[in-house]
Amino acid sequence: MNLKLFFFAITAASAATPTADLLVELIRVDTSNPPGNEAKLDDLIAAKLKPLGFTVEIFPTPQAGKSHLIARLKGDGSMKPVLIASHADVVGVEREKWTVDPFAGIVKDGYVWGRGAIDFKGGVAVFAEAVMRLARNKIPLKRDVIFMVEADEEGMPLNTSWLAKSQWDKMDCEFALNEGGWIMKRPDGKVRYVSISTADKTSTSLVLTARGTSTHSSMPRPDQAIFHLAKALSKLADYETKPELTASTREFFLTLAKTSEPPMSTYFNNLVNSKDPALIAQADREISKDVLLHAIMRNTIAPVLLQAGFRSNVIPGSAEATINFRTIPGTTPEDLIAEMKRVISDPTVDIAAAKNNGGLSISSSKESTTNTDLYRALVASAGKVWPEAPVTPYLFQAGTDAAAWRTRGIPVYGIYPYPISNDDLSRMHGNDERVPIDSLEQGTDFVYRTLLQVAAK
Ligand SMILES: [Zn+2]
């Protein structure tokens, strides 16, 4: 063991709180996906849950080492189960850009550091600790509490929607809690707001294909495919979609209006309430300086792949760009293609759904209603743990496994159950990901209180 490793071993020894200690253990199991190797994490969690009386089932997938875990704490069956879902896999790392070992579970400066600290091993730890607390405290339950640890959430196919096709009876519930909204801190460390997602944006990709004549590069013709594609992309770069507010984003922005200083409070109010296009445009410009807020009020456009040409003396006959859109609920495929055709306005550029997109799979699932005992329990518990913070529904800016339930009409809510700062948030899927230890404990208290309210007799 070299000195550096010795130092890590000491600092990573114990985080001294149950949820943080569990998170350290989870981070040390490298579940970077691909390949994921989620089964190792399932075994670790199963070994903790079984002695506490949980029924634990592990569902293998066609890929070796990849499985889903469903644990159940039995109630008296008088009400339908409540389910809390978390994913075991994490995205990979750019190792050289981290200042700590991303898979060592380092504890320092009041944080647990490592890949998945926020997304979503922190959530696995909080949810696991909350359900284990129910079991340890022998709380009599009027409904089963189901805890899931899922595989392949990070954009891979053997995910929860895959599992639901064969195991829906194991996942069926009255309502569910999943990853999603944020508990955001102010610079002074106080919680500014608690946002609970009631819908997710949907990812869908279109391919732009520009066509021209394939010929010798010494005699260029006017119909060069790469130039046509470049012009189309340039038009998209200069184009901005209009703000489209859902019921939850309206409420979210009004919450921000209440918790902001002027002039931002005015911009938030104008975005929601103004009828003046100039004021709305000004509000959009100012609010959109925050990339997260920019994203949740509109369909976003991001070119992600380019493909053209095969040698330096041949003008290729076609050039392709894949554009990834994140759409708000209610956007139809027809709307999206029509809008892109209008913006690009070039008949030599075809616009079609990306092949690996499963066609244009824009989700038709609606926002989950907030009129449920689970949503009310989340609001009440947040009020106990963070009494100064307003609670608001939220449109999550990315996709999650919520689709498995929402498409079946089951209300599902999302939360990253720990207060974090903007700086912490920017590290998610990035470098030096970390989560505050005291936030993990607050989050465990929040989820435990929520489960008590919704499931205890
Ligand atoms: Zn996640």
Side-chain angles (χ1 to χ4, degrees):
M1 174 182 285
N2 67 25
L3 254 186
K4 204 171 165 193
L5 275 174
F6 181 63
F7 176 72
F8 280 171
I10 289 176
T11 53
S14 175
T17 69
T19 308
D21 281 342
L22 177 56
L23 175 56
V24 165
E25 279 190 72
L26 300 179
I27 287 172
R28 288 178 181 171
V29 181
D30 181 351
T31 53
S32 300
N33 200 5
N37 288 324
E38 295 92 336
K40 284 189 196 159
L41 205 86
D42 292 347
D43 291 342
L44 187 158
I45 290 170
K48 292 181 188 297
L49 297 181
K50 279 181 186 165
L52 291 169
F54 287 83
T55 310
V56 180
E57 289 182 279
I58 293 178
F59 299 92
T61 71
Q63 188 180 324
K66 185 178 292 296
S67 57
H68 296 262
L69 176 149
I70 301 182
R72 187 178 290 256
L73 193 59
K74 288 297 275 182
D76 69 10
S78 59
M79 300 189 93
K80 259 187 110 174
V82 58
L83 183 145
I84 59 177
S86 55
H87 64 88
D89 58 325
V90 295
V91 292
V93 296
E94 291 178 281
R95 180 68 190 83
E96 66 285 357
K97 293 187 178 157
W98 284 62
T99 62
V100 297
D101 180 343
F103 300 104
I106 301 297
V107 175
K108 66 170 181 132
D109 306 335
Y111 291 85
V112 178
W113 301 63
R115 173 55 86 222
I118 290 180
D119 184 18
F120 189 66
K121 283 183 174 164
V124 177
V126 165
F127 289 180
E129 187 57 32
V131 295
M132 288 194 291
R133 206 172 279 180
L134 283 181
R136 283 190 210 108
N137 293 345
K138 301 193 166 42
I139 305 294
L141 301 172
K142 62 187 174 189
R143 56 171 103 234
D144 293 1
V145 175
I146 304 171
F147 170 48
M148 278 186 72
V149 183
E150 311 154 344
D152 261 8
E153 192 277 339
E154 295 291 0
M156 305 301 274
L158 300 171
N159 56 18
T160 307
S161 291
W162 172 86
L163 184 72
K165 284 182 206 156
S166 63
Q167 304 297 337
W168 175 248
D169 58 321
K170 303 280 167 63
M171 300 162 54
D172 193 9
C173 56
E174 184 168 342
F175 29 54
L177 184 64
N178 182 45
E179 67 184 345
W182 307 104
I183 305 169
M184 294 309 297
K185 287 201 238 180
R186 297 174 185 282
D188 69 4
K190 292 242 167 64
V191 173
R192 182 180 178 199
Y193 62 82
V194 177
S195 60
I196 298 168
S197 55
T198 52
D200 292 346
K201 289 183 82 181
T202 303
S203 173
T204 194
S205 293
L206 300 183
V207 176
L208 311 185
T209 307
R211 295 188 202 284
T213 306
S214 176
T215 183
H216 198 291
S217 60
S218 63
M219 294 174 291
R221 301 160 55 101
D223 65 343
Q224 295 195 58
I226 289 178
F227 277 155
H228 275 277
L229 183 67
K231 283 182 184 171
L233 292 176
S234 172
K235 287 177 188 166
L236 282 188
D238 291 338
Y239 175 69
E240 183 60 288
T241 53
K242 290 261 176 312
E244 289 179 63
L245 305 186
T246 66
S248 62
T249 42
R250 294 173 81 85
E251 198 170 334
F252 175 72
F253 282 119
L254 289 176
T255 299
L256 292 189
K258 276 184 261 166
T259 59
S260 314
E261 304 297 322
M264 286 312 296
S265 52
T266 310
Y267 298 142
F268 289 128
N269 262 320
N270 284 347
L271 182 72
V272 176
N273 291 323
S274 179
K275 300 275 178 280
D276 180 343
L279 286 180
I280 296 170
Q282 179 198 40
D284 180 6
R285 264 195 316 278
E286 295 298 328
I287 295 167
S288 288
K289 288 175 184 169
D290 180 319
V291 293
L292 172 62
L293 301 183
H294 170 262
I296 66 166
M297 68 165 104
R298 56 168 34 87
N299 297 329
T300 55
I301 305 174
V304 288
L305 296 167
L306 282 174
Q307 202 166 16
F310 58 97
R311 54 184 296 158
S312 61
N313 59 358
V314 176
I315 296 175
S318 67
E320 278 186 13
T322 302
I323 316 290
N324 185 242
F325 297 82
R326 298 299 176 108
T327 59
I328 62 169
T331 307
T332 69
E334 293 75 23
D335 294 342
L336 203 57
I337 288 180
E339 188 175 0
M340 290 308 107
K341 284 192 168 157
R342 180 171 56 73
V343 173
I344 291 169
S345 175
D346 181 345
T348 70
V349 178
D350 289 341
I351 303 173
K355 284 199 184 69
N356 61 1
N357 207 24
L360 264 179
S361 59
I362 289 183
S363 161
S364 59
S365 59
K366 296 199 184 82
E367 289 193 41
S368 295
T369 172
T370 54
N371 184 21
T372 65
D373 286 343
L374 178 56
Y375 190 83
R376 282 185 283 274
L378 287 162
V379 173
S381 305
K384 286 277 191 307
V385 181
W386 305 288
E388 74 280 12
V391 183
T392 170
Y394 180 65
L395 170 64
F396 190 59
Q397 74 276 8
T400 72
D401 278 333
W405 291 275
R406 215 172 264 133
T407 54
R408 289 172 171 82
I410 309 286
V412 48
Y413 309 108
I415 192 96
Y416 285 83
Y418 12 75
I420 56 170
S421 66
N422 277 318
D423 176 43
D424 299 332
L425 176 58
S426 70
R427 298 161 184 251
M428 175 179 156
H429 282 215
N431 308 316
D432 283 349
E433 186 176 351
R434 62 183 195 180
V435 66
I437 292 171
D438 59 349
S439 295
L440 289 167
E441 295 310 311
Q442 291 166 26
T444 306
D445 186 25
F446 165 64
V447 175
Y448 178 68
R449 284 170 182 273
T450 300
L451 292 175
L452 270 187
Q453 186 170 332
V454 89
K457 277 198 204 173

